[in-house]
Amino acid sequence: MSLYSVLIGRPLPKSSAGQERLPRLEALPILSSDALSSVAYATEAALGVLILAGSRALSLSLPITLAIIALITVVVLSYRQVIAAYPQGGGSYVVARDNLGRNVGLVAAAALLIDYTLTAAVSLMAAGQAISSLIPSLLHHEVALTLLLLALVGWANLRGLREAGRIFALPTYAFVVMIALLTLVGLHDLVAHHGFRPDPPPLVTSMEPLGLFLILRAFSSGCSAMTGIEAIANGVQVFREPAPVNARQTLLVMGGLLALMFFSVSGMGFLYGIAPDPNVTVLAQIGTKVFGPGTPLLWGLQISTLLILVLAANTAFSGFPLLAAMLADDRCLPRQMAWLGDRLVYQNGIGVLLAGTALIIWVCQGDTTVAVNLYALGVFTAFTLSQLGLLLRWWRQRGEGWQGRMLMNALGASATFVVLVVIIISKFWEGAWTVVIAIPLLVWALAAIRRRHREVAAAMVPDPLIEPLYLAPVEAPVQHQAIVWMGGLTRATLEAVLYACTIAEQVTAVMVVGDRDDPGQISLDWDRLVGADSGDLQLKLLVSPYSSVIQPFCAFVREQETTHPERRTTVVMPVAVSDNLLDRFLLNQRALYLYRALSAQGTHVFSVVRTSLEPVQPVD
């Protein structure tokens, strides 16, 4: 067994994909850890802005919390409608693409890809800072520690969904239990001893006037509690069947838990007169007031907070690969982003997210100060576009109850758009400008990849005017068979088949069909292009029990070489060649993997048939 198999696990058959999907109790911690962990810092983020206007301004924290909870309610109900309308998953990207147009959909996708990457980086850097706060000797090793945490989260996700569910369930539920204990013990103290009259916060001199813009800034900072809400709508495929029903129920539970926990922390912070402290978090101050300093319950609260901050990054590792796979299916990213790995996860997407997150951690040197100002911008862009998309959807369909749905989505779109504008204006020079620039650049890149894929597809369409491909038998060397790799019925593939017919008396064109392929239609297209009576030219369709398409083809080649040792076997591989630099990343990826796999098993005769791409106007 290879080292990779030891670390990641043995390949899983595709028949176990349903078993790899998760029940609600395991899916909830995987997809909700980001949203629920925001309880640890959302209240503090709002207080950190209000304190600029002096201690008296902290009294506005409770109304701001209630306004954010109202917004959370609207967004959660909106995404329940997204799941019902789009049960295959996709969230903001699919809603925007289908209702606002493909290019607007790419804006939502770009915003989410950036947000997922920043979410993973911010969560892990915050966890690294939490560990160094508990153990000061680790202060100078925060970057290495954070990268280690990143590697552990990535490793757990590469092993598959069930592995991640088992690892991440306990800490997430532990955090929920500790917040529930904090609430219950705090209520007992408020009723029996303290009373509900708020304590005055520490006296702090005003640095800015208390005005509408500062209140909106505090509101937008507190809205960091909403990051991660859409992960469940993006990850419907993670749930066991009936997946849409389970996803909608889980989203409702997550929204309820988030609202209750957020209100509890903000309410106790208000009643106990808590003010932001650069050395002690707001949640730790509340825990000290309720549980007492140095108590086991306080340590339990802090440790569970630390763990869920680490696990918050897992939401990104669930959402980013799924979104990247959808973009690859839409030909907006290289196709290998949609390849399902041996552990039935999108391992290429996980790898890209690992690299991007590690780069941000290294650039920020483990400090969340800059990154935390950026990662809410992407999610509110996605929120706004998804609700605008649903608003147009209800207007066009005008089904039962469409007016109420339109009103809710109009309110949600307006509120999230206001928050988005406030974030851009208030945090532009604090680093938000990088995301404002990065989103259009990423949209341009996604559109360029999509355009190039269309150009390649148009250039590779077989000519319907030519005669059937199979010609009269050509004199070929005796004892020679050719096996042609077919990734699809393209001009490059058919040219490779034609070449194989000139060098061998027995030619087999092999295609590994996936779950979305129709073998009957493939056979009909083959007969139309090649000819129904093709003699010694055969089409072989293989069905793989696993996600890999390389392994079944290699096994077929090995079987033919073993069964017919008297024959010389040539593997013919079609490749498309182009002067376009982008095509090096978009084309022939499976051919490269196939060559390496066949070489490793001992196959030693290959013929590469190169088909040049000619500029062709793409057909929409």
Side-chain angles (χ1 to χ4, degrees), residues 332-392:
C332 298
L333 281 177
R335 297 184 184 184
Q336 53 264 43
M337 297 299 289
W339 294 354
L340 204 59
D342 289 338
R343 297 292 294 180
L344 303 181
V345 294
Y346 297 108
Q347 59 187 24
N348 291 330
I350 293 174
V352 170
L353 181 58
L354 278 169
T357 304
L359 178 62
I360 293 174
I361 292 170
W362 180 77
V363 169
C364 295
Q365 286 296 293
D367 186 2
T368 61
T369 304
V370 176
V372 79
N373 290 323
L374 312 181
Y375 84 118
L377 196 155
V379 76
F380 276 95
T381 300
F383 282 163
T384 302
L385 292 177
S386 68
Q387 294 190 77
L388 281 175
L390 282 178
L391 190 152
L392 288 178

Side-chain angles (χ1 to χ4, degrees), residues 107-185:
V107 175
L112 283 174
L113 290 174
I114 292 172
D115 179 69
Y116 280 136
T117 307
L118 287 168
T119 295
V122 168
S123 300
L124 291 170
M125 287 190 292
Q129 291 175 339
I131 295 175
S132 63
S133 298
L134 288 174
I135 309 173
S137 61
L138 296 177
L139 185 61
H140 299 295
H141 304 285
E142 281 184 350
V143 174
L145 184 60
T146 304
L147 291 175
L148 176 60
L149 294 174
L150 172 64
L152 291 175
V153 174
W155 167 74
N157 280 273
L158 286 171
R159 288 192 64 88
L161 290 175
R162 290 185 64 85
E163 297 283 349
R166 295 188 187 101
I167 293 173
F168 298 150
L170 184 59
T172 303
Y173 286 127
F175 179 72
V176 173
V177 169
M178 290 309 303
I179 296 294
L181 280 175
L182 183 71
T183 303
L184 293 174
V185 177

Side-chain angles (χ1 to χ4, degrees), residues 95-106:
V95 175
R97 181 197 64 191
D98 291 355
N99 298 285
L100 301 175
R102 292 179 301 176
N103 291 330
V104 178
L106 291 184

